[in-house]
Amino acid sequence: MELGKVHSVDAKHANVDTRPVDSPDFHYEDGNLQGQKGSTRGDVLDMSRMGKKQELQALEKVNAVEMALSTWILIKILALSSKHQADARHTDHWVSEFAPKSIQKPLSYIVGWLALLGWVTGCPSAAQLTSTLVQGLILLKNENANVAALWQTTLFIMIFLIVAVAFNLFLAEKLPLAEGIFLIVHIFGYFAFLIVLWTMSDHAPASQVFGTFTDGGGWGNTGLSCLVGITTPLWCFLGPDAGAHMSEELKDAGRVLPSAMVWATFFNGLLGLTMIMTMCFCIGDIDGILDSSTGIPIIQLLYNSTGSYSATVVMTTVLIVLSMVGTITVIAATSRQMWAFARDKGLPFSSYIEHVRPGWDIPLNAIVVTLLVSMLITCLNFGSDVALNAIISLSNAALIFSYMTSIGCIRLKRFRGEALLPRRWSLGKFGAPINDAALCFLAVGFVMSFFPITPMPAPVDMNWAVVIFLFVIVVAAVNYVVSARWHYVAPVALVKEQ
């Protein structure tokens, strides 16, 4: 098969049969096609086109709601720029299919490493967020409590990582149900926070909310200060490809996943804008909130609004639970990314990582390796939180680079007038402008990911992500030339013409 060739799907597959493969009247026209219980014909055909055997059991459609819990507004739209088929990963696969023929294999290999790096470093990041909420809640009740030492924070992170992995190992079949339940908690919690803040807080005038600009970083320019500050919320909203990593376990993924992303964008955009405006109106003394003993502004804001420890504890517990669910889904997405990359022999010990043990229907080995790598990264915090934060800050840059490359390859094909793959969900005539908007936004986010928080920082406050990022690219490139080019199987090499 010629690499780089855009392959077609038989016209008879245009209206895809979505009956489960275990239905009595479901028949394959190709006896070699195989699917897990719960798969639809569309799932099997998508996997077959990519030359892959479905090894992970498809769960219910509600599994797609993890996208509604983990992403927000524009980042979600960016992901739609390259959503076409179902596979356990996203960016490196589409780079392999859409990149110019001469660089398909090496570019997809490097993007695969960076995407995995971004996700793996995101695991301790998510657990760290959960741990800081728990520590802040303790400090709210007892500001002299000894719970903020580096070793204590590190142990908190490890505990939440272990809990998240345990859920993925032993309650994987309950993940769709859990996500459905916590989606409801997420929505009702949103309105609870909104009502409490609007009815019990002091409100700033609209002229202050919409007309006051501050340069909190000391950059001397409010516009630049705003761009530097975008990296923190950007970390929270990254990961739109999480659903693609789980798509092999999502029923009728080629149709359900993109639709879920569109609706998540629409509703979370509205909810997010409303909550941002509410926070701006109700935050009160910003310096007092930032310098509170809890170290967590939202906890102090809730306490200032309610004046009640009990109410603050209940509302913060909702945030902790939702953050923990986020950690669970990050572990799930990361392990699937690792498993899929190992399936193409892109990692050391790929044979072990890609193995799916009979009867488990989950990438057990990949989940365990994800935990081990996350724990090793977390151990850096025993000595210095600077090293851990440098690794964590790399998550932004690595993931954004993988998105830029993937979308850029698709945009190049559009620019050249080359045909894209057949797909069951399409952006139509809006595809090109959405690609352009995505690339512009990602370019800004990528550059800002390497900026320090303040100008002229001391070495201890410097953002060292750029050094680590370049180091990983050099190591991946050298490893490809020396070894990986002989055994790495680019996804496009397995794509079938029909």
Side-chain angles (χ1 to χ4, degrees), residues 98-145:
F98 293 135
K101 179 180 176 181
S102 60
I103 58 173
Q104 282 177 330
K105 186 173 181 178
L107 187 58
S108 69
Y109 179 78
I110 292 176
V111 169
W113 264 100
L114 289 174
L116 181 57
L117 177 67
W119 276 102
V120 168
T121 54
C123 293
S125 302
Q128 185 187 45
L129 175 60
T130 310
S131 68
T132 55
L133 287 171
V134 172
Q135 290 171 301
L137 201 56
I138 295 173
L139 291 171
L140 175 68
K141 184 63 178 177
N142 181 7
E143 63 182 28
N144 296 318

Short mmCIF file of all heavy atoms in Angstrom, two decimals, residues 98-145:
data_model
loop_
_atom_site.label_atom_id
_atom_site.label_comp_id
_atom_site.label_asym_id
_atom_site.label_seq_id
_atom_site.Cartn_x
_atom_site.Cartn_y
_atom_site.Cartn_z
N PHE A 98 -2.37 12.66 7.37
CA PHE A 98 -2.55 13.92 6.64
C PHE A 98 -1.24 14.64 6.31
O PHE A 98 -1.23 15.54 5.47
CB PHE A 98 -3.44 14.87 7.44
CG PHE A 98 -4.86 14.40 7.57
CD1 PHE A 98 -5.52 14.45 8.79
CD2 PHE A 98 -5.53 13.89 6.47
CE1 PHE A 98 -6.83 14.02 8.90
CE2 PHE A 98 -6.83 13.45 6.57
CZ PHE A 98 -7.49 13.50 7.79
N ALA A 99 -0.15 14.31 6.96
CA ALA A 99 1.11 15.00 6.71
C ALA A 99 1.64 14.66 5.31
O ALA A 99 1.28 13.63 4.73
CB ALA A 99 2.14 14.59 7.76
N PRO A 100 2.48 15.54 4.76
CA PRO A 100 3.11 15.20 3.48
C PRO A 100 3.81 13.85 3.56
O PRO A 100 4.39 13.49 4.59
CB PRO A 100 4.11 16.35 3.28
CG PRO A 100 3.51 17.50 4.01
CD PRO A 100 2.85 16.88 5.22
N LYS A 101 3.78 13.12 2.47
CA LYS A 101 4.26 11.74 2.44
C LYS A 101 5.67 11.59 2.98
O LYS A 101 5.98 10.64 3.71
CB LYS A 101 4.18 11.22 1.01
CG LYS A 101 4.68 9.80 0.83
CD LYS A 101 4.58 9.38 -0.62
CE LYS A 101 5.18 7.99 -0.83
NZ LYS A 101 5.10 7.58 -2.25
N SER A 102 6.55 12.53 2.66
CA SER A 102 7.97 12.37 3.01
C SER A 102 8.23 12.45 4.52
O SER A 102 9.27 11.97 4.98
CB SER A 102 8.79 13.46 2.31
OG SER A 102 8.35 14.76 2.69
N ILE A 103 7.31 13.04 5.27
CA ILE A 103 7.57 13.20 6.70
C ILE A 103 6.48 12.56 7.56
O ILE A 103 6.41 12.80 8.76
CB ILE A 103 7.70 14.70 7.08
CG1 ILE A 103 6.43 15.46 6.70
CG2 ILE A 103 8.93 15.30 6.43
CD1 ILE A 103 6.43 16.91 7.19
N GLN A 104 5.62 11.75 6.96
CA GLN A 104 4.52 11.16 7.71
C GLN A 104 5.00 10.36 8.92
O GLN A 104 4.53 10.55 10.04
CB GLN A 104 3.69 10.25 6.80
CG GLN A 104 2.75 10.99 5.89
CD GLN A 104 2.01 10.04 4.95
OE1 GLN A 104 2.53 8.99 4.58
NE2 GLN A 104 0.82 10.42 4.56
N LYS A 105 5.94 9.47 8.69
CA LYS A 105 6.37 8.57 9.76
C LYS A 105 7.14 9.29 10.86
O LYS A 105 6.78 9.17 12.04
CB LYS A 105 7.19 7.42 9.17
CG LYS A 105 7.55 6.34 10.18
CD LYS A 105 8.22 5.16 9.51
CE LYS A 105 8.57 4.07 10.52
NZ LYS A 105 9.19 2.88 9.87
N PRO A 106 8.21 10.04 10.56
CA PRO A 106 8.95 10.69 11.65
C PRO A 106 8.13 11.75 12.39
O PRO A 106 8.23 11.87 13.61
CB PRO A 106 10.16 11.31 10.94
CG PRO A 106 9.77 11.43 9.51
CD PRO A 106 8.87 10.27 9.25
N LEU A 107 7.31 12.50 11.65
CA LEU A 107 6.53 13.55 12.31
C LEU A 107 5.47 12.95 13.23
O LEU A 107 5.25 13.43 14.35
CB LEU A 107 5.87 14.45 11.26
CG LEU A 107 5.16 15.70 11.80
CD1 LEU A 107 6.13 16.57 12.58
CD2 LEU A 107 4.52 16.49 10.66
N SER A 108 4.82 11.87 12.79
CA SER A 108 3.82 11.24 13.66
C SER A 108 4.47 10.63 14.89
O SER A 108 3.86 10.60 15.97
CB SER A 108 3.04 10.16 12.88
OG SER A 108 3.86 9.04 12.58
N TYR A 109 5.71 10.17 14.76
CA TYR A 109 6.42 9.59 15.91
C TYR A 109 6.71 10.67 16.96
O TYR A 109 6.46 10.48 18.15
CB TYR A 109 7.73 8.95 15.44
CG TYR A 109 8.56 8.36 16.55
CD1 TYR A 109 8.23 7.12 17.11
CD2 TYR A 109 9.68 9.02 17.04
CE1 TYR A 109 8.99 6.57 18.12
CE2 TYR A 109 10.45 8.48 18.07
CZ TYR A 109 10.09 7.25 18.60
OH TYR A 109 10.84 6.72 19.61
N ILE A 110 7.23 11.81 16.50
CA ILE A 110 7.55 12.90 17.43
C ILE A 110 6.27 13.45 18.07
O ILE A 110 6.22 13.70 19.28
CB ILE A 110 8.32 14.01 16.70
CG1 ILE A 110 9.71 13.50 16.30
CG2 ILE A 110 8.46 15.25 17.59
CD1 ILE A 110 10.53 14.48 15.48
N VAL A 111 5.22 13.63 17.27
CA VAL A 111 3.95 14.13 17.81
C VAL A 111 3.37 13.13 18.80
O VAL A 111 2.80 13.51 19.83
CB VAL A 111 2.96 14.42 16.67
CG1 VAL A 111 1.56 14.66 17.21
CG2 VAL A 111 3.42 15.62 15.86
N GLY A 112 3.52 11.84 18.51
CA GLY A 112 3.04 10.83 19.44
C GLY A 112 3.72 10.92 20.78
O GLY A 112 3.09 10.80 21.84
N TRP A 113 5.03 11.14 20.78
CA TRP A 113 5.78 11.29 22.03
C TRP A 113 5.33 12.54 22.79
O TRP A 113 5.14 12.51 24.01
CB TRP A 113 7.28 11.38 21.73
CG TRP A 113 7.97 10.05 21.87
CD1 TRP A 113 8.31 9.20 20.87
CD2 TRP A 113 8.39 9.44 23.09
NE1 TRP A 113 8.92 8.08 21.39
CE2 TRP A 113 8.99 8.19 22.75
CE3 TRP A 113 8.32 9.79 24.43
CZ2 TRP A 113 9.51 7.33 23.70
CZ3 TRP A 113 8.83 8.93 25.39
CH2 TRP A 113 9.42 7.72 25.02
N LEU A 114 5.17 13.65 22.07
CA LEU A 114 4.78 14.90 22.73
C LEU A 114 3.36 14.83 23.27
O LEU A 114 3.07 15.33 24.37
CB LEU A 114 4.93 16.07 21.77
CG LEU A 114 6.37 16.46 21.43
CD1 LEU A 114 6.40 17.54 20.37
CD2 LEU A 114 7.11 16.95 22.69
N ALA A 115 2.46 14.22 22.51
CA ALA A 115 1.09 14.08 23.00
C ALA A 115 1.05 13.22 24.26
O ALA A 115 0.36 13.56 25.23
CB ALA A 115 0.21 13.46 21.91
N LEU A 116 1.80 12.12 24.25
CA LEU A 116 1.83 11.26 25.43
C LEU A 116 2.49 11.99 26.60
O LEU A 116 2.03 11.87 27.75
CB LEU A 116 2.60 9.98 25.11
CG LEU A 116 2.71 8.96 26.24
CD1 LEU A 116 1.33 8.55 26.73
CD2 LEU A 116 3.50 7.73 25.79
N LEU A 117 3.54 12.75 26.31
CA LEU A 117 4.20 13.53 27.36
C LEU A 117 3.22 14.52 28.00
O LEU A 117 3.16 14.67 29.23
CB LEU A 117 5.40 14.28 26.78
CG LEU A 117 6.15 15.20 27.74
CD1 LEU A 117 6.85 14.40 28.82
CD2 LEU A 117 7.16 16.06 26.97
N GLY A 118 2.43 15.20 27.16
CA GLY A 118 1.47 16.15 27.67
C GLY A 118 0.42 15.50 28.56
O GLY A 118 0.05 16.05 29.60
N TRP A 119 -0.02 14.32 28.17
CA TRP A 119 -1.04 13.63 28.96
C TRP A 119 -0.46 13.05 30.24
O TRP A 119 -1.09 13.11 31.31
CB TRP A 119 -1.70 12.54 28.13
CG TRP A 119 -2.80 13.09 27.28
CD1 TRP A 119 -2.75 13.37 25.94
CD2 TRP A 119 -4.10 13.47 27.71
NE1 TRP A 119 -3.94 13.91 25.51
CE2 TRP A 119 -4.79 13.97 26.59
CE3 TRP A 119 -4.75 13.44 28.94
CZ2 TRP A 119 -6.10 14.44 26.66
CZ3 TRP A 119 -6.07 13.90 29.02
CH2 TRP A 119 -6.71 14.39 27.89
N VAL A 120 0.73 12.46 30.17
CA VAL A 120 1.32 11.85 31.37
C VAL A 120 1.61 12.92 32.42
O VAL A 120 1.36 12.72 33.61
CB VAL A 120 2.60 11.08 31.01
CG1 VAL A 120 3.37 10.69 32.26
CG2 VAL A 120 2.25 9.82 30.22
N THR A 121 2.14 14.05 32.00
CA THR A 121 2.40 15.12 32.96
C THR A 121 1.11 15.74 33.48
O THR A 121 1.09 16.37 34.55
CB THR A 121 3.27 16.23 32.33
OG1 THR A 121 2.66 16.69 31.11
CG2 THR A 121 4.66 15.71 32.01
N GLY A 122 0.02 15.54 32.73
CA GLY A 122 -1.28 16.03 33.19
C GLY A 122 -1.87 15.23 34.34
O GLY A 122 -2.72 15.73 35.08
N CYS A 123 -1.42 13.97 34.50
CA CYS A 123 -1.96 13.13 35.58
C CYS A 123 -1.61 13.67 36.96
O CYS A 123 -2.52 13.89 37.78
CB CYS A 123 -1.46 11.69 35.42
SG CYS A 123 -2.11 10.85 33.96
N PRO A 124 -0.33 13.91 37.28
CA PRO A 124 -0.04 14.52 38.59
C PRO A 124 -0.59 15.94 38.70
O PRO A 124 -0.89 16.41 39.80
CB PRO A 124 1.50 14.50 38.66
CG PRO A 124 1.96 14.34 37.26
CD PRO A 124 0.91 13.55 36.56
N SER A 125 -0.75 16.63 37.57
CA SER A 125 -1.33 17.97 37.60
C SER A 125 -2.76 17.93 38.12
O SER A 125 -3.16 18.73 38.97
CB SER A 125 -1.31 18.60 36.21
OG SER A 125 -0.01 18.67 35.69
N ALA A 126 -3.55 16.99 37.58
CA ALA A 126 -4.94 16.86 38.00
C ALA A 126 -5.03 16.45 39.47
O ALA A 126 -5.85 16.98 40.23
CB ALA A 126 -5.66 15.83 37.13
N ALA A 127 -4.17 15.51 39.88
CA ALA A 127 -4.17 15.09 41.28
C ALA A 127 -3.70 16.21 42.20
O ALA A 127 -4.16 16.33 43.34
CB ALA A 127 -3.27 13.86 41.44
N GLN A 128 -2.79 17.05 41.71
CA GLN A 128 -2.32 18.18 42.50
C GLN A 128 -3.45 19.17 42.76
O GLN A 128 -3.56 19.72 43.87
CB GLN A 128 -1.16 18.88 41.78
CG GLN A 128 -0.52 20.00 42.57
CD GLN A 128 0.51 20.77 41.77
OE1 GLN A 128 0.27 21.12 40.62
NE2 GLN A 128 1.67 21.01 42.35
N LEU A 129 -4.30 19.39 41.76
CA LEU A 129 -5.44 20.29 41.95
C LEU A 129 -6.37 19.76 43.03
O LEU A 129 -6.82 20.51 43.90
CB LEU A 129 -6.20 20.44 40.63
CG LEU A 129 -7.50 21.25 40.69
CD1 LEU A 129 -7.23 22.67 41.14
CD2 LEU A 129 -8.20 21.24 39.33
N THR A 130 -6.63 18.45 43.00
CA THR A 130 -7.48 17.85 44.03
C THR A 130 -6.86 17.99 45.41
O THR A 130 -7.54 18.32 46.39
CB THR A 130 -7.72 16.36 43.72
OG1 THR A 130 -8.15 16.20 42.35
CG2 THR A 130 -8.78 15.78 44.63
N SER A 131 -5.55 17.76 45.49
CA SER A 131 -4.88 17.82 46.80
C SER A 131 -4.88 19.24 47.36
O SER A 131 -5.05 19.43 48.57
CB SER A 131 -3.44 17.30 46.67
OG SER A 131 -2.63 18.17 45.89
N THR A 132 -4.71 20.25 46.51
CA THR A 132 -4.70 21.63 47.00
C THR A 132 -6.07 22.03 47.54
O THR A 132 -6.17 22.81 48.50
CB THR A 132 -4.26 22.61 45.90
OG1 THR A 132 -5.11 22.46 44.75
CG2 THR A 132 -2.82 22.37 45.50
N LEU A 133 -7.15 21.51 46.92
CA LEU A 133 -8.49 21.79 47.42
C LEU A 133 -8.69 21.18 48.81
O LEU A 133 -9.27 21.81 49.70
CB LEU A 133 -9.54 21.25 46.45
CG LEU A 133 -9.73 22.03 45.14
CD1 LEU A 133 -10.63 21.27 44.19
CD2 LEU A 133 -10.32 23.42 45.41
N VAL A 134 -8.21 19.95 48.98
CA VAL A 134 -8.33 19.29 50.29
C VAL A 134 -7.51 20.04 51.34
O VAL A 134 -7.99 20.30 52.46
CB VAL A 134 -7.86 17.82 50.19
CG1 VAL A 134 -7.79 17.19 51.58
CG2 VAL A 134 -8.80 17.03 49.30
N GLN A 135 -6.28 20.41 51.00
CA GLN A 135 -5.44 21.15 51.94
C GLN A 135 -6.04 22.52 52.27
O GLN A 135 -6.01 22.96 53.43
CB GLN A 135 -4.03 21.33 51.35
CG GLN A 135 -3.24 20.03 51.28
CD GLN A 135 -1.94 20.21 50.50
OE1 GLN A 135 -1.95 20.58 49.33
NE2 GLN A 135 -0.82 19.96 51.16
N GLY A 136 -6.61 23.19 51.27
CA GLY A 136 -7.24 24.48 51.51
C GLY A 136 -8.43 24.38 52.44
O GLY A 136 -8.65 25.25 53.29
N LEU A 137 -9.18 23.30 52.30
CA LEU A 137 -10.33 23.10 53.17
C LEU A 137 -9.90 22.87 54.62
O LEU A 137 -10.54 23.36 55.56
CB LEU A 137 -11.14 21.90 52.67
CG LEU A 137 -12.60 21.81 53.12
CD1 LEU A 137 -13.36 23.07 52.75
CD2 LEU A 137 -13.26 20.58 52.50
N ILE A 138 -8.80 22.13 54.79
CA ILE A 138 -8.27 21.91 56.14
C ILE A 138 -7.79 23.22 56.75
O ILE A 138 -8.07 23.54 57.91
CB ILE A 138 -7.11 20.89 56.10
CG1 ILE A 138 -7.63 19.52 55.66
CG2 ILE A 138 -6.44 20.77 57.47
CD1 ILE A 138 -6.54 18.50 55.42
N LEU A 139 -7.10 24.02 55.95
CA LEU A 139 -6.57 25.29 56.45
C LEU A 139 -7.68 26.30 56.72
O LEU A 139 -7.50 27.23 57.52
CB LEU A 139 -5.57 25.86 55.44
CG LEU A 139 -4.26 25.08 55.31
CD1 LEU A 139 -3.44 25.61 54.14
CD2 LEU A 139 -3.45 25.17 56.60
N LEU A 140 -8.80 26.17 56.06
CA LEU A 140 -9.92 27.07 56.33
C LEU A 140 -10.39 26.90 57.77
O LEU A 140 -10.69 27.88 58.47
CB LEU A 140 -11.07 26.77 55.37
CG LEU A 140 -12.36 27.56 55.62
CD1 LEU A 140 -12.16 29.04 55.31
CD2 LEU A 140 -13.51 26.98 54.78
N LYS A 141 -10.45 25.65 58.23
CA LYS A 141 -10.91 25.38 59.59
C LYS A 141 -9.83 25.62 60.62
O LYS A 141 -10.09 26.13 61.72
CB LYS A 141 -11.39 23.92 59.67
CG LYS A 141 -12.00 23.55 61.01
CD LYS A 141 -13.26 24.35 61.29
CE LYS A 141 -13.91 23.94 62.61
NZ LYS A 141 -15.09 24.76 62.93
N ASN A 142 -8.60 25.30 60.24
CA ASN A 142 -7.48 25.48 61.17
C ASN A 142 -6.29 26.02 60.39
O ASN A 142 -5.54 25.25 59.78
CB ASN A 142 -7.12 24.15 61.84
CG ASN A 142 -5.99 24.30 62.84
OD1 ASN A 142 -5.53 25.41 63.13
ND2 ASN A 142 -5.52 23.18 63.38
N GLU A 143 -6.15 27.32 60.39
CA GLU A 143 -5.10 27.95 59.57
C GLU A 143 -3.69 27.62 60.06
O GLU A 143 -2.72 27.87 59.34
CB GLU A 143 -5.29 29.46 59.53
CG GLU A 143 -5.17 30.15 60.88
CD GLU A 143 -5.42 31.63 60.78
OE1 GLU A 143 -6.17 32.06 59.87
OE2 GLU A 143 -4.86 32.38 61.61
N ASN A 144 -3.57 27.04 61.24
CA ASN A 144 -2.26 26.64 61.76
C ASN A 144 -1.96 25.16 61.53
O ASN A 144 -0.94 24.66 62.00
CB ASN A 144 -2.17 26.95 63.26
CG ASN A 144 -2.27 28.44 63.55
OD1 ASN A 144 -1.67 29.26 62.85
ND2 ASN A 144 -3.04 28.80 64.58
N ALA A 145 -2.85 24.49 60.84
CA ALA A 145 -2.65 23.06 60.59
C ALA A 145 -1.40 22.84 59.75
O ALA A 145 -1.11 23.60 58.82
CB ALA A 145 -3.87 22.48 59.87
#
